[in-house]
Amino acid sequence: QVRLMESGGGSVQVGGSLRLSCAASRHTHSDHCMGWFRQAPGKGREGVASVDYDGSTSYADSVKGRFTISKDNAKRTLYLEMTNLKPEDTAIYYCALKGGRYASSWFLHLWTGRDGYWGQGTQVIVSS
């Protein structure tokens, strides 16, 4: 069992920045995908950014050029650097992990969310 704990959410103004962190309770499979998903009020879950077993990354079109995903394997921590935040970025952000050799794009856009691990989420609010 792997526990994921997100942190770093908060309230910012339009154009501001936040850095989310996701700490894993233990080292996981050597081959795995990790990523960030979000869910805004009244909307479905959306993939935001992901990184796969060989370090390849994928991003939702809506965040390309503004968000950066990175991972520190020694610290068992995933990060999401968010800049130029917009009101539409307001959501609960979840960290997820799935063991296996899956492409980052598949993990971000096609993974059903099953057979993996999820954090509890951290709230991001962007106000104008």
Side-chain angles (χ1 to χ4, degrees):
Q1 184 75 9
V2 178
R3 290 190 301 276
L4 302 175
M5 179 66 70
E6 302 97 337
S7 61
S11 296
V12 295
Q13 293 189 324
V14 170
S17 300
L18 282 173
R19 187 195 197 199
L20 304 184
S21 299
C22 171
S25 60
R26 63 174 182 83
H27 285 292
T28 60
H29 307 275
S30 58
D31 293 337
H32 62 269
C33 288
M34 291 191 76
W36 293 94
F37 297 78
R38 67 186 181 187
Q39 187 162 18
K43 295 188 177 181
R45 187 181 67 212
E46 174 190 24
V48 177
S50 64
V51 54
D52 65 24
Y53 65 97
D54 70 354
S56 296
T57 58
S58 292
Y59 294 90
D61 288 343
S62 59
V63 307
K64 282 181 181 176
R66 300 188 298 122
F67 291 11
T68 303
I69 190 170
S70 62
K71 188 170 61 169
D72 186 328
N73 290 324
K75 295 182 178 180
R76 306 192 307 273
T77 302
L78 182 74
Y79 302 99
L80 185 68
E81 192 75 40
M82 305 187 295
T83 63
N84 190 21
L85 283 161
K86 303 176 180 181
E88 52 265 41
D89 295 319
T90 295
I92 299 175
Y93 284 69
Y94 299 91
C95 171
L97 181 150
K98 179 174 176 58
R101 290 194 164 203
Y102 300 98
S104 62
S105 57
W106 176 87
F107 183 71
L108 188 68
H109 299 296
L110 298 177
W111 180 44
T112 62
R114 297 174 63 183
D115 300 322
Y117 303 97
W118 289 88
Q120 294 299 307
T122 185
Q123 177 80 60
V124 172
I125 299 173
V126 184
S127 57
S128 56

